[in-house]
Amino acid sequence: MTDRAAFYEEIGARNLAPLWEVMAGLITPEPVSACRPALWRWDEVRDSVMQSGGIISAEEAERRVLVLENPGLRGTSRITTSLYAGLQLVLPGEVAPAHRHSQSALRFVVEGEGAYTAVDGERTTMAEGDFVITPHWTWHDHGNDSDRPMIWLDGLDIPMVQFFDASFAERLGESRQPLSRPEGDSLARYGQGLLPVDQEPGSLASPV
Ligand code: GTQ
């Protein structure tokens, strides 16, 4: 064994490592990413998402989602180094039970009309093209009282929260959270982009 290899072994037992062996890979002249360009074709993806509906219920899965995994990041539930994305299916009559977590979510409705997301006591009935946010630590459950499947794209900051070892989550213990505000409340209050000057923000997240 060379002097260096013997030294590395010796310091390894002390949880020490030589920077000079890894420096070039750590401090690169330009960004280096394992993330690859990728394309998910809707006709294929939709087929798989609909098949997942026969594999598990939304209730059992908690969230019935097919994760869009970047081909360079397989097994890590990431679409990019810092972002998570998935396609969620809620079939007629189903409920994805109420929970909350430190991760923030956004949703783009891709297919369907009439299912809802409830966020912090307010339901939002959704249709194709809608954009809904679920700020961190807000209770949310999804349900579909329509007669059509609904599919939306979930985007979450899971990898970033993971990076900071900051994941917290809680289940409400009931499928649907109690409703404390009528549908349309947040849009009516905040949708014009104007607020009274003395309005106290309830949180750092957008209330819309
Ligand atoms: O709807 O709350 O795609 O908690 C992944 C984790 C969706 C959700 C996901 C989640 C959700």
Side-chain angles (χ1 to χ4, degrees):
M1 202 185 277
T2 63
D3 282 357
R4 281 188 186 174
F7 177 67
Y8 296 165
E9 204 165 288
E10 201 179 299
I11 64 171
R14 294 175 174 167
N15 297 312
L16 295 170
L19 172 64
W20 58 89
E21 291 289 343
V22 293
M23 179 111 170
L26 289 178
I27 299 179
T28 56
E30 287 175 12
V32 173
S33 180
C35 188
R36 297 280 160 258
L39 177 68
W40 287 265
R41 294 195 179 277
W42 177 240
D43 53 348
E44 293 174 8
V45 161
R46 183 186 187 280
D47 180 56
S48 300
V49 168
M50 290 308 296
Q51 277 184 46
S52 75
I55 297 289
I56 193 165
S57 69
E59 188 89 36
E60 190 193 344
E62 188 166 343
R63 296 296 183 263
R64 190 209 287 116
V65 176
L66 295 187
V67 179
L68 302 175
E69 277 200 333
N70 187 280
L73 304 168
R74 293 307 308 272
T76 67
S77 306
R78 293 167 189 216
I79 190 162
T80 68
T81 307
S82 55
L83 291 173
Y84 159 101
L87 287 161
Q88 181 160 176
L89 171 69
V90 184
L91 291 170
E94 285 192 322
V95 175
H99 70 191
R100 61 178 178 176
H101 39 69
S102 50
Q103 293 82 357
S104 307
L106 58 80
R107 319 191 192 279
F108 275 114
V109 179
V110 188
E111 186 179 311
E113 181 161 10
Y116 66 85
T117 282
V119 179
D120 253 359
E122 181 183 344
R123 249 186 212 188
T124 300
T125 302
M126 301 180 287
E128 208 173 299
D130 280 350
F131 171 75
V132 179
I133 62 163
T134 307
H136 60 92
W137 212 243
T138 52
W139 291 110
H140 53 289
D141 49 271
H142 317 299
N144 189 348
D145 296 334
S146 83
D147 56 5
R148 291 175 56 191
M150 180 170 270
I151 303 173
W152 63 77
L153 177 74
D154 285 320
L156 283 89
D157 55 2
I158 291 172
M160 288 192 269
V161 171
Q162 222 165 26
F163 179 79
F164 290 107
D165 287 342
S167 180
F168 295 89
E170 213 176 7
R171 287 185 185 154
L172 185 62
E174 293 161 48
S175 298
R176 298 172 199 244
Q177 64 182 293
L179 300 175
S180 54
R181 288 174 292 146
E183 177 142 12
D185 188 86
S186 84
L187 192 64
R189 279 179 204 278
Y190 308 110
Q192 303 306 313
L194 293 171
L195 284 175
V197 284
D198 57 355
Q199 172 84 21
E200 295 281 344
S203 86
L204 291 174
S206 165
V208 181

